[in-house]
Amino acid sequence: MVRPAPTAAPLPHARWWRAGVVQAVSPPGVIDLGPGYLEPGLLPVDEVLPLYAEALTEFGPAALGYGANAGAEPLRALLAARHGCAAEEVMVTAGTSQALALLCTVLGRPGRSVLVERTCYDLGRTVMTDHGLSPHEVDADGEGVRPEALDRALSRGDDVAFVYLTPTFHNPTGTVAGEPRRRELLAVAARHGVPIVEDDAYAELGLDGSAPPPPLAALAGGRGVIRLGSFSKTLGPGLRLGWLQAEPDLVGTLTGRGQLLSGGALNHLTSLAVTMLLGDGRYDRRLSWLRGQLRLRRDTLVAALRAGLGESVTVSSPAGGFFLWLAFRPGHSEASLLAAADRAGVAVAPGSRFGSTDGTRLRLAYSFHSPDRLAEAAARLAPAWRNEESLR
Ligand SMILES: *Cc1c(COP(=O)(O)O)cnc(C)c1O
């Protein structure tokens, strides 16, 4: 076993960012705007380091016991206060991916369908299909799913397990549903008696200083909506920590599953460590710092792409989250845009990965690189794509 050499000085964060340790590493020289990750330098190594000692000091052996099935009460209480609900409505999860998988087992049965936005989080769909559920796309506009389209889809008579929505700082499109839109979607789902799963991974990452509209769960008074929160995008995905908000009965059903009865709370020690951070203002200070960092990255990439590409590409600036959703002029081929980016040494995500598009969409993450690297990425992409444009 190779261990890092003991050293008095902190290691540079990137030293262990390598294949076999993390999920993905870009090839040398490539600027990877594909994944929705935080840049290694934005991950709070120094802030997280003391939290485990604090949690072990505060809770002693209870920090190493099986945690209460729904998660440790101090964290549930802090989350409930933060999100304006009761602690019985909150359950600690191992992140949104695990929460979604658990919901698929409880709400779904193989053969049932899930209604999703026309383009949405691709791996969320994979979790659904893993459970034998069939995602069906619903038409969307600049505020996400259209209520009439949802109504039509729910009237078809399919056996729908739930509707999966990301109304705030959507991945991949960056869109935000306004409050009237949210109320209409809630009314449609309630009329059909179908629950909504609200994936709110980016809710705390608004970048323009104004708060997004209230979550669907808040507007619905907690009824008929299961809201999924995550610390992956605000702290770090390696914590594997998130939470969900649902009606107390459903929380009871979820926490009565064998997985939790057998193993207790998910990521118990980590959840107590994050409790220390959440409880005294350090998390909020971290959030405002992180928003500033992301704003700088978004603004750098948007400005550099607009300057380099002019009118040929629509580069809209999202109000929060991690992603730009570029729209090229009709007639482009996604494959040739990707190939041109690849030749220029930049990786981007094809829009079609997230669902049905017109073939002119690409997703670029601004979260995973420094502003300098983002400017360099735009300087590589602009001539490559201008050349594509002239070849059309
Ligand atoms: C990143 C992301 C997730 C993954 O969440 P984890 O908490 O890390 O499992 C879920 N949903 C969306 C929309 C995401 O972008």
Side-chain angles (χ1 to χ4, degrees), residues 95-97 121 164 166 171 199 201-202 230 232-233 240:
T96 295
S97 309
Y121 179 50
Y164 171 74
T166 303
N171 176 9
D199 186 340
Y202 300 95
S230 177
S232 288
K233 308 295 156 70
R240 293 288 79 221

Short mmCIF file of all heavy atoms in Angstrom, two decimals, residues 95-97 121 164 166 171 199 201-202 230 232-233 240, ligand 1:
data_model
loop_
_atom_site.label_atom_id
_atom_site.label_comp_id
_atom_site.label_asym_id
_atom_site.label_seq_id
_atom_site.Cartn_x
_atom_site.Cartn_y
_atom_site.Cartn_z
N GLY A 95 -26.58 11.25 -0.05
CA GLY A 95 -26.56 12.05 -1.28
C GLY A 95 -27.79 11.76 -2.11
O GLY A 95 -28.55 10.81 -1.87
N THR A 96 -27.97 12.61 -3.11
CA THR A 96 -29.17 12.54 -3.94
C THR A 96 -29.25 11.23 -4.72
O THR A 96 -30.34 10.68 -4.91
CB THR A 96 -29.18 13.74 -4.91
OG1 THR A 96 -29.29 14.91 -4.11
CG2 THR A 96 -30.32 13.68 -5.89
N SER A 97 -28.11 10.72 -5.15
CA SER A 97 -28.14 9.48 -5.94
C SER A 97 -28.72 8.35 -5.11
O SER A 97 -29.58 7.58 -5.56
CB SER A 97 -26.73 9.11 -6.40
OG SER A 97 -26.12 10.22 -7.02
N TYR A 121 -31.03 15.58 -15.72
CA TYR A 121 -29.84 14.92 -15.18
C TYR A 121 -29.78 13.47 -15.67
O TYR A 121 -30.62 12.65 -15.31
CB TYR A 121 -29.89 14.99 -13.65
CG TYR A 121 -28.73 14.34 -12.94
CD1 TYR A 121 -27.42 14.63 -13.31
CD2 TYR A 121 -28.95 13.46 -11.90
CE1 TYR A 121 -26.36 14.02 -12.66
CE2 TYR A 121 -27.90 12.86 -11.23
CZ TYR A 121 -26.60 13.14 -11.63
OH TYR A 121 -25.55 12.55 -10.98
N TYR A 164 -40.21 13.72 -11.89
CA TYR A 164 -38.87 14.14 -11.43
C TYR A 164 -38.55 15.51 -12.02
O TYR A 164 -38.47 15.66 -13.24
CB TYR A 164 -37.85 13.09 -11.89
CG TYR A 164 -36.40 13.46 -11.67
CD1 TYR A 164 -35.85 13.45 -10.40
CD2 TYR A 164 -35.58 13.81 -12.75
CE1 TYR A 164 -34.51 13.77 -10.21
CE2 TYR A 164 -34.25 14.13 -12.57
CZ TYR A 164 -33.72 14.11 -11.29
OH TYR A 164 -32.39 14.44 -11.10
N THR A 166 -36.31 19.42 -11.61
CA THR A 166 -35.26 20.25 -11.01
C THR A 166 -35.61 21.71 -11.32
O THR A 166 -35.16 22.27 -12.31
CB THR A 166 -33.87 19.90 -11.60
OG1 THR A 166 -33.63 18.50 -11.38
CG2 THR A 166 -32.76 20.69 -10.93
N ASN A 171 -29.95 21.29 -14.08
CA ASN A 171 -28.87 20.60 -14.77
C ASN A 171 -29.49 19.78 -15.90
O ASN A 171 -30.29 18.89 -15.61
CB ASN A 171 -28.16 19.66 -13.78
CG ASN A 171 -27.08 18.82 -14.43
OD1 ASN A 171 -26.73 19.03 -15.58
ND2 ASN A 171 -26.54 17.86 -13.68
N ASP A 199 -35.49 17.59 -7.26
CA ASP A 199 -34.03 17.46 -7.09
C ASP A 199 -33.45 18.87 -6.95
O ASP A 199 -33.35 19.61 -7.92
CB ASP A 199 -33.46 16.73 -8.31
CG ASP A 199 -31.97 16.42 -8.16
OD1 ASP A 199 -31.30 17.09 -7.33
OD2 ASP A 199 -31.47 15.54 -8.88
N ALA A 201 -30.36 20.00 -5.89
CA ALA A 201 -28.92 19.93 -5.60
C ALA A 201 -28.22 21.30 -5.65
O ALA A 201 -27.20 21.50 -5.01
CB ALA A 201 -28.25 18.97 -6.58
N TYR A 202 -28.77 22.24 -6.44
CA TYR A 202 -28.08 23.53 -6.63
C TYR A 202 -28.78 24.69 -5.93
O TYR A 202 -28.41 25.85 -6.13
CB TYR A 202 -27.96 23.82 -8.14
CG TYR A 202 -27.17 22.75 -8.85
CD1 TYR A 202 -27.80 21.68 -9.48
CD2 TYR A 202 -25.78 22.78 -8.86
CE1 TYR A 202 -27.07 20.67 -10.09
CE2 TYR A 202 -25.04 21.78 -9.46
CZ TYR A 202 -25.69 20.73 -10.07
OH TYR A 202 -24.96 19.74 -10.67
N SER A 230 -28.46 18.04 -1.20
CA SER A 230 -27.16 17.37 -1.23
C SER A 230 -26.08 18.33 -0.77
O SER A 230 -26.16 19.53 -1.02
CB SER A 230 -26.86 16.91 -2.65
OG SER A 230 -25.59 16.33 -2.72
N SER A 232 -23.11 17.66 -1.93
CA SER A 232 -22.09 17.38 -2.95
C SER A 232 -21.65 18.63 -3.70
O SER A 232 -20.49 18.75 -4.08
CB SER A 232 -22.63 16.38 -3.98
OG SER A 232 -22.73 15.11 -3.42
N LYS A 233 -22.58 19.55 -3.94
CA LYS A 233 -22.25 20.70 -4.77
C LYS A 233 -21.83 21.90 -3.93
O LYS A 233 -21.30 22.86 -4.46
CB LYS A 233 -23.44 21.05 -5.68
CG LYS A 233 -23.96 19.86 -6.50
CD LYS A 233 -22.94 19.32 -7.50
CE LYS A 233 -23.14 17.87 -7.92
NZ LYS A 233 -24.29 17.59 -8.76
N ARG A 240 -20.44 12.14 0.55
CA ARG A 240 -21.62 11.27 0.34
C ARG A 240 -22.70 11.60 1.36
O ARG A 240 -23.14 10.74 2.13
CB ARG A 240 -21.26 9.77 0.40
CG ARG A 240 -20.39 9.22 -0.68
CD ARG A 240 -21.08 9.10 -2.05
NE ARG A 240 -21.15 10.40 -2.71
CZ ARG A 240 -22.22 10.86 -3.39
NH1 ARG A 240 -23.31 10.16 -3.49
NH2 ARG A 240 -22.19 12.02 -3.96
C1 LIG B 1 -24.74 16.34 -9.04
C2 LIG B 1 -26.15 16.02 -9.10
C3 LIG B 1 -26.67 15.01 -8.32
C4 LIG B 1 -25.76 14.05 -7.55
O1 LIG B 1 -25.97 14.21 -6.24
P1 LIG B 1 -25.20 13.39 -5.11
O2 LIG B 1 -25.76 14.02 -3.90
O3 LIG B 1 -23.74 13.62 -5.28
O4 LIG B 1 -25.54 11.94 -5.25
C5 LIG B 1 -28.04 14.85 -8.30
N1 LIG B 1 -28.85 15.60 -9.06
C6 LIG B 1 -28.38 16.55 -9.87
C7 LIG B 1 -29.33 17.35 -10.70
C8 LIG B 1 -27.02 16.79 -9.92
O5 LIG B 1 -26.55 17.71 -10.75
#
